[in-house]
Amino acid sequence: MSLFGFADSDVAALVLRLVLGGLMVVHGLPKIKNLKQSATWVASTGWAWAAGFAYAFGLLEFFGGLALIIGFLTQLVALLFVLEMIATTLFSRAKLGKKLVGGWENDLLYLVGALALLFLGAGAFSLDALLHL
C-alpha cells in the first residue's frame, strides 16, 4: 500500500534523507566553524592522521548533510557516511573508551541510516531523480 499515492520507498527515502541530512548538518556546522580546533581535539586523543580526519569529517557532515537533504549524489554521500561512522565508532570505542549506551549508539544509528540510503537510493523526491543520476 502506498501513502498518498506515492511509493512507500520514495517516502521512506525522503524522510530518511531529511532526518539524517539534517542531523549531519547540525553535527558538522560547529566543526567547520573551527576546523583547526576540531583537528586539535582529535589529535589530542592520539588518533593517527587526526587533522585529515577532522577536516574531512567536518566538511563531509556539513556539505554531505546538505546534499542528502536535497537528494544530490545520495548513494555516494551515504557510502561516505557509512565509512565515517565505522571510523567514528571504532574511535569512540578504542580511543575514548566509550560503551554502547551513552557512547557510540548514535554512530551506529547513523551508520544504519546511511546504509539504508545506500540501498534505497534518493527516491523520487530528489535532485538525483530530477537529474536522472
Side-chain angles (χ1 to χ4, degrees):
M1 183 177 219
S2 62
L3 183 67
F4 305 113
F6 301 112
D8 291 341
S9 61
D10 291 330
V11 175
L14 174 64
V15 170
L16 190 51
R17 280 191 1 255
L18 293 175
V19 171
L20 184 60
L23 288 171
M24 286 297 160
V25 167
V26 168
H27 279 275
L29 184 59
K31 293 173 187 160
I32 66 166
K33 282 185 174 180
N34 195 339
L35 285 171
K36 187 174 181 179
Q37 181 182 26
S38 296
T40 301
W41 179 82
V42 176
S44 75
T45 67
W47 197 19
W49 308 305
F53 279 111
Y55 290 127
F57 290 173
L59 294 170
L60 172 62
E61 288 173 8
F62 183 76
F63 292 107
L66 291 176
L68 286 186
I69 289 169
I70 63 173
F72 182 63
L73 300 175
T74 301
Q75 289 177 301
L76 173 62
V77 172
L79 175 62
L80 293 174
F81 279 138
V82 165
L83 296 173
E84 178 191 3
M85 290 303 112
I86 290 170
T88 58
T89 299
L90 294 173
F91 173 75
S92 291
R93 291 188 66 205
K95 292 293 184 184
L96 303 179
K98 291 187 176 183
K99 304 282 186 216
L100 172 64
V101 177
W104 47 273
E105 77 275 15
N106 284 336
D107 294 347
L108 192 58
L109 282 170
Y110 296 150
L111 187 150
V112 171
L115 194 59
L117 276 177
L118 182 62
F119 290 113
L120 269 176
F125 310 111
S126 66
L127 197 53
D128 286 349
L130 185 66
L131 299 174
H132 305 289
L133 298 176

